[in-house]
């Protein structure tokens, strides 16, 4: 992974970059930084790259080949293009691009890659600038055009300025790959973006999706479909849109029998085959993402025996539990795994404060006020729901493998810390997204990904900082397996047809709603986000299944949603975590309770607007 930056100037003006942006980029790639300037006929490009070394030989970026082409690569090749263990995928990709003479050849190379990527490529022959994001948008790429200086900027991360006017940062839509004819742009004085869309998802770009897409194109730029009609073939198979025949609703009167229900379903051969196939593809996706990794040694290094190369954003819920159980298969037994669990300090309710004051006056009169869902007699201020389920999940993992060292990292955040870091760092990383939901999730993920908290050894708590360069996250499971409450609502209103439409929309918008933001937030710590549930083979397998095999929303909460994944958890030997209902991170970590209680998730976040 790395932080990439490209400033294209169509005038002879001096190339300048924002110092805040540069600092954010440097934190993404702490292992090596380098700049390169290319000057063409009446244009110039400043390339700046900051590398987080992950595989093979440390390869400086930007990469300048013998023909004068320049590559900035923020990605990982997990399949498609052969990359030997001792090779660096940036060097391999650069070599393949160097042999490409036509757009179709460049698209052919890109379409074979399995894994997340964002890239910028200067093709000297013809004076072209290529850039884009992978099919799911798993790597961040932002753009902005300044009409005053006739300059286009591409960057992994930007900076938020509440008082900014005119030019604004936007996320590059993950609808395909873009090409700029630099000679034509300098002659015209503005940028025309030639779009090479993905065959699925971006194919209808200039029809029903045109308004939404054009709203993401920088002011002063024009987007057109490439005249050759070339497309990138989709890396995943189309979504199965089969509708079942009329069915009778299955009634499960006792919610506490959920585990038995799963065991009964798992006993049927058909479901067992599908579960085993899902285990195979997710396990392989995890394997590709956890093996042969370097350590990131933090400033305050723990003892060598504590150092892990892999961490997991861990709530104890089914998504993170399955990732942990499968990671356990592929990480050497002597190497620890860090489980990053974040909690925001519970605010003492006003009534409870008043009761506490009365207790001071009448010490023999006990308080009966409780924080909802928390046993105040045995709980501390950071015992939020995700902390409680996380500890329960830790016990299950220890039962699965008693030899493995599981570092359960308790990351506790006070309101003062939250406000300080949001103002100084997180608001820039979440930008240009700006809703209350982006604030809550962005802040929660940032603190969790920092990996700095406390672990308990032999009954003693001590400070701990994760050494992992890779963080696994469960994003993509809910979107594909109907994990959100809105899926149940849509199913109730519109049946399977409505549910299928909702799932198709979820995966189609995941790049703009989640992945760019989370890549920027996690990458700020010099760690790389990896998404096993969005592996191309995993998505293709899930897309191939009829929707009723993935979820049965006639069943109760904790069973029906993500049914196939719950069956997978049972097959892997997991217990109560298999039937935990979905709980969004902003609620499980209790960050949503720390700010304005009357906000809606979709509202513009006033804390960003005020800076």
């Amino acid at each position: 992974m790395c932080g990439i930056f490209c400033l294209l100037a169509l005038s002879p003006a001096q190339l300048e970059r924002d110092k805040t942006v540069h600092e954010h980029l440097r934190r993404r790639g702490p292992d090596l930084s380098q700049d390169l300037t290319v000057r063409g006929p009446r244009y110039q490009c400043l390339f700046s790259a900051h590398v987080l070394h992950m595989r093979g030989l440390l390869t400086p970026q930007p990469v300048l080949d013998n023909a004068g082409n320049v590559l900035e690569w923020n990605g990982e090749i997990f399949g498609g293009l052969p990359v030997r263990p001792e090779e660096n995928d940036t060097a391999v990709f650069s070599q393949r691009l160097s042999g490409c003479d036509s757009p179709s050849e460049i698209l052919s190379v890109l379409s074979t890659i399995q894994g997340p990527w964002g890239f910028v490529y200067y093709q000297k022959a013809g004076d072209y600038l290529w850039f884009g994001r992978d099919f799911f948008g798993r790597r961040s790429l932002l753009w902005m055009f300044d009409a005053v200086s006739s300059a286009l900027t591409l960057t992994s991360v930007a900076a938020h300025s509440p008082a900014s006017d005119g030019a604004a940062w936007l996320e590059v839509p993950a609808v395909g790959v873009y090409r700029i004819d630099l000679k034509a742009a300098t002659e015209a004085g503005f940028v025309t973006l030639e779009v090479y869309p993905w065959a699925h998802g971006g194919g209808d770009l200039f029809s029903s999706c045109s308004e939404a897409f054009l709203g993401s194109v920088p002011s002063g730029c024009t987007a057109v479909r490439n005249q050759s009609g070339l497309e990138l073939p989709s890396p995943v198979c189309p979504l199965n849109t089969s509708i079942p025949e009329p069915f009778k609703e299955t009634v499960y009167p006792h919610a506490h029998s959920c585990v038995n229900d799963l065991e009964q379903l798992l006993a049927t051969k058909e479901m067992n085959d599908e579960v085993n196939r899902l285990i195979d593809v997710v396990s392989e996706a995890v394997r590709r993402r956890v093996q042969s990794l370097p350590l990131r040694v933090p400033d305050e290094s723990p003892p060598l025996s504590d150092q892990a190369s892999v961490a997991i954003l861990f709530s104890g819920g089914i998504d993170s539990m399955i990732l942990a159980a499968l990671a356990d298969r592929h990480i050497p037994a002597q190497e620890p795994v860090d489980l990053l669990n974040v909690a925001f300090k519970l605010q003492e309710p006003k009534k409870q404060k008043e009761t506490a004051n009365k207790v001071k006056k009448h010490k023999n009169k006990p308080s009966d006020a409780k924080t909802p869902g928390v046993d105040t007699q045995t709980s501390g201020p950071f015992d939020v729901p995700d902390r409680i389920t996380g500890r329960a999940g830790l016990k299950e993992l220890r039962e699965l493998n008693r030899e493995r060292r599981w570092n359960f990292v308790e990351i506790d955040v006070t309101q003062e810390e939250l406000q300080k870091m949001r103002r100084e760092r997180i608001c820039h990383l979440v930008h240009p997204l700006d809703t209350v939901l982006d604030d809550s999730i962005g802040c929660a993920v940032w603190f969790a990904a920092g990996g700095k908290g406390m672990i308990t050894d032999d009954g003693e708590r001590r400070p701990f900082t994760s050494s992992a360069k890779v963080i696994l996250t469960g994003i993509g499971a809910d979107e594909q397996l109907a994990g959100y409450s809105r899926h149940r609502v849509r199913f109730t209103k519109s049946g399977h047809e409505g549910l299928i439409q909702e799932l198709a929309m979820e995966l189609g918008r995941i790049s703009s709603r989640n992945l760019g933001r989370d890549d920027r937030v996690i990458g700020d710590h010099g760690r790389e986000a990896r998404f096993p549930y969005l592996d191309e083979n995993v998505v293709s397998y899930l897309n191939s299944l009829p929707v009723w095999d993935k979820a049965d929303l006639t069943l109760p909460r904790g069973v029906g949603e993500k049914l196939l994944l719950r069956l997978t958890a049972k097959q892997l030997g997991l217990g109560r975590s298999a039937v935990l209902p979905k709980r969004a991170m902003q609620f499980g970590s209790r960050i949503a309770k720390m700010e304005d209680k009357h906000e809606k998730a979709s509202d513009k976040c006033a804390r960003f607007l005020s800076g």
Side-chain angles (χ1 to χ4, degrees):
M1 186 197 81
C2 71
I4 60 177
F5 176 93
C6 174
L7 176 57
L8 164 65
L10 303 180
S11 68
Q14 185 176 359
L15 296 174
E16 295 183 2
R17 57 186 167 192
D18 187 294
K19 292 182 179 178
T20 304
V21 172
H22 179 75
E23 183 60 26
H24 292 319
L25 290 166
R26 189 192 62 77
R27 280 197 294 269
R28 285 179 63 87
D31 295 328
L32 191 149
S33 296
Q34 187 170 276
D35 292 351
L36 175 66
T37 300
V38 171
R39 291 180 172 83
R42 292 188 291 172
Y43 69 81
Q44 51 186 331
C45 292
L46 169 63
F47 298 95
S48 181
H50 308 262
V51 177
L52 178 70
H53 180 222
M54 299 302 296
R55 64 202 297 185
L57 294 174
L58 177 59
T59 301
Q61 291 198 51
V63 178
L64 176 65
D65 69 13
N66 294 331
N69 303 310
V70 179
L71 171 67
E72 292 186 316
W73 172 250
N74 176 25
E76 295 290 345
I77 299 177
F78 293 128
L81 288 182
V83 181
R84 295 191 298 271
E86 70 276 10
E87 288 183 314
N88 180 275
D89 62 341
T90 305
V92 171
F93 184 50
S94 176
Q95 290 167 6
R96 292 296 296 267
L97 288 179
S98 296
C100 296
D101 296 320
S102 66
S104 61
E105 291 175 319
I106 289 179
L107 298 184
S108 177
V109 173
L110 286 168
S111 64
T112 62
I113 295 173
Q114 294 181 5
W117 50 263
F119 82 109
V120 178
Y121 182 62
Y122 170 69
Q123 189 178 20
K124 186 174 181 180
D127 295 278
Y128 294 115
L129 188 70
W130 293 81
F131 60 95
R133 302 164 68 192
D134 70 78
F135 185 76
F136 299 115
R138 288 166 288 187
R139 290 290 176 260
S140 169
L141 192 62
L142 309 178
W143 57 9
M144 179 176 69
F145 184 74
D146 188 334
V148 176
S149 58
S150 297
L152 176 71
T153 304
L154 301 164
T155 180
S156 297
V157 62
H160 170 59
S161 177
S164 62
D165 297 318
W169 291 108
L170 297 166
E171 289 190 323
V172 175
V175 297
V177 172
Y178 304 80
R179 187 180 79 160
I180 299 173
D181 184 328
L182 298 174
K183 287 182 180 177
T186 53
E187 291 173 4
F190 62 89
V191 172
T192 298
L193 305 162
E194 244 187 319
V195 187
Y196 296 81
W198 294 104
H200 296 290
D204 58 352
L205 181 64
F206 297 97
S207 55
S208 62
C209 294
S210 61
E211 187 175 334
F213 169 72
L214 293 176
S216 298
V217 175
S219 177
C221 298
T222 302
V224 297
R225 187 163 188 160
N226 72 89
Q227 293 183 350
S228 303
L230 293 173
E231 293 181 336
L232 285 151
S234 170
V236 298
C237 75
L239 182 67
N240 187 326
T241 57
S242 301
I243 303 296
E245 295 179 1
F247 62 97
K248 292 182 179 180
E249 183 174 345
T250 305
V251 178
Y252 287 78
H254 304 296
H256 63 266
S257 65
C258 291
V259 175
N260 292 332
D261 298 339
L262 289 178
E263 291 172 348
Q264 292 171 16
L265 286 168
L266 198 55
T268 68
K269 184 178 187 305
E270 184 178 350
M271 289 304 296
N272 195 276
D273 289 344
E274 290 177 353
V275 167
N276 288 333
R277 175 61 182 148
L278 182 60
I279 289 174
D280 288 342
V281 293
V282 179
S283 179
E284 174 60 16
V286 171
R287 185 195 67 79
R288 293 178 179 186
R289 287 160 174 80
V290 302
Q291 290 190 342
S292 304
L293 297 174
L295 288 172
R296 171 190 178 274
V297 181
D299 295 335
E300 300 172 7
S301 303
L304 187 61
S305 62
D306 284 349
Q307 290 190 343
S309 59
V310 175
I312 301 171
L313 293 186
F314 189 77
S315 66
I318 184 172
D319 307 340
S320 58
M321 285 292 291
I322 286 177
L323 293 183
L326 293 176
D328 183 52
R329 293 183 170 187
H330 303 296
I331 296 173
Q334 70 276 11
E335 186 177 315
V337 174
D338 293 344
L339 307 175
L340 308 181
N341 183 276
V342 66
F344 292 82
K345 188 174 183 180
L346 292 167
Q347 302 302 296
E348 193 176 18
K350 186 176 180 182
K351 288 184 179 179
Q352 189 166 321
K353 288 182 181 179
E354 292 172 353
T355 305
N357 290 332
K358 291 179 181 178
V359 170
K360 289 180 181 178
K361 295 179 180 178
H362 308 283
K363 290 187 178 180
N364 13 347
K365 192 173 181 182
S367 168
D368 59 353
K370 290 185 179 181
T371 303
V374 178
D375 182 354
T376 56
Q377 293 184 351
T378 59
S379 300
F382 293 102
D383 284 335
V384 301
D386 278 1
R387 178 62 50 80
I388 295 168
T389 55
R391 287 171 180 155
L394 175 65
K395 290 181 181 178
E396 288 191 30
L397 293 174
R398 284 174 172 164
E399 288 294 321
L400 282 180
N401 188 348
R402 295 181 182 276
E403 295 181 9
R404 169 83 61 197
R405 181 184 177 90
W406 302 96
N407 290 323
F408 184 70
V409 189
E410 299 185 5
I411 301 160
D412 298 337
V413 186
T414 65
Q415 189 167 32
E416 293 74 22
E417 289 175 297
L418 170 63
Q419 292 172 345
K420 179 178 184 291
M421 298 316 300
R422 176 196 285 121
R423 181 176 62 252
E424 294 180 3
R425 298 269 281 275
I426 303 170
C427 70
H428 298 295
L429 303 169
V430 172
H431 188 71
L433 303 189
D434 58 4
T435 68
V436 170
L437 184 63
D438 293 317
D439 171 43
S440 294
I441 296 180
C443 289
V445 172
W446 187 86
F447 278 103
K452 192 170 185 177
M454 305 289 287
I455 63 172
T456 301
D457 274 334
D458 298 324
E460 289 189 12
R461 295 186 87 222
R462 63 176 177 85
F464 180 88
T465 300
S466 174
S467 57
K469 272 191 172 182
V470 163
I471 294 183
L472 301 183
T473 169
I475 290 177
D478 290 304
E479 287 80 1
Q480 297 180 79
L481 291 144
Y484 294 120
S485 57
R486 58 180 174 268
H487 294 134
R488 194 174 285 272
V489 172
R490 185 68 184 271
F491 176 74
T492 301
K493 289 182 178 178
S494 309
H496 284 97
E497 185 174 2
L499 178 59
I500 291 169
Q501 293 171 356
E502 191 77 14
L503 293 176
M505 180 184 68
E506 292 279 10
L507 211 53
R509 69 183 184 182
I510 196 170
S511 64
S512 58
R513 282 177 66 93
N514 301 89
L515 295 175
R517 176 199 64 214
D518 288 358
D519 175 61
R520 293 190 294 274
V521 167
I522 293 172
D524 189 59
H525 297 284
R527 308 183 199 273
E528 181 172 283
R530 295 187 175 179
F531 313 98
Y533 292 116
L534 291 173
D535 179 89
E536 286 81 357
N537 292 332
V538 173
V539 176
S540 285
Y541 175 62
L542 291 175
N543 275 359
S544 73
L545 297 175
V547 67
W548 60 88
D549 280 351
K550 294 182 282 190
D552 185 349
L553 300 185
T554 66
L555 297 176
R557 272 189 86 227
V559 178
E561 72 278 13
K562 296 192 286 193
L563 175 62
L564 187 60
L565 206 61
R566 298 183 187 283
L567 293 168
T568 297
K570 288 300 300 176
Q571 186 80 317
L572 291 173
L574 299 177
R576 294 298 302 175
S577 59
V579 291
L580 284 176
K582 167 67 181 178
R583 186 170 53 233
M585 188 178 194
Q586 65 270 30
F587 301 117
S589 68
R590 282 297 188 259
I591 188 174
K593 298 288 187 181
M594 295 191 82
E595 305 291 354
D596 186 350
K597 310 298 189 298
H598 303 292
E599 292 175 321
K600 293 181 179 179
S602 58
D603 289 347
K604 297 288 184 184
C605 183
R607 293 175 290 282
F608 287 158
L609 298 175
S610 62

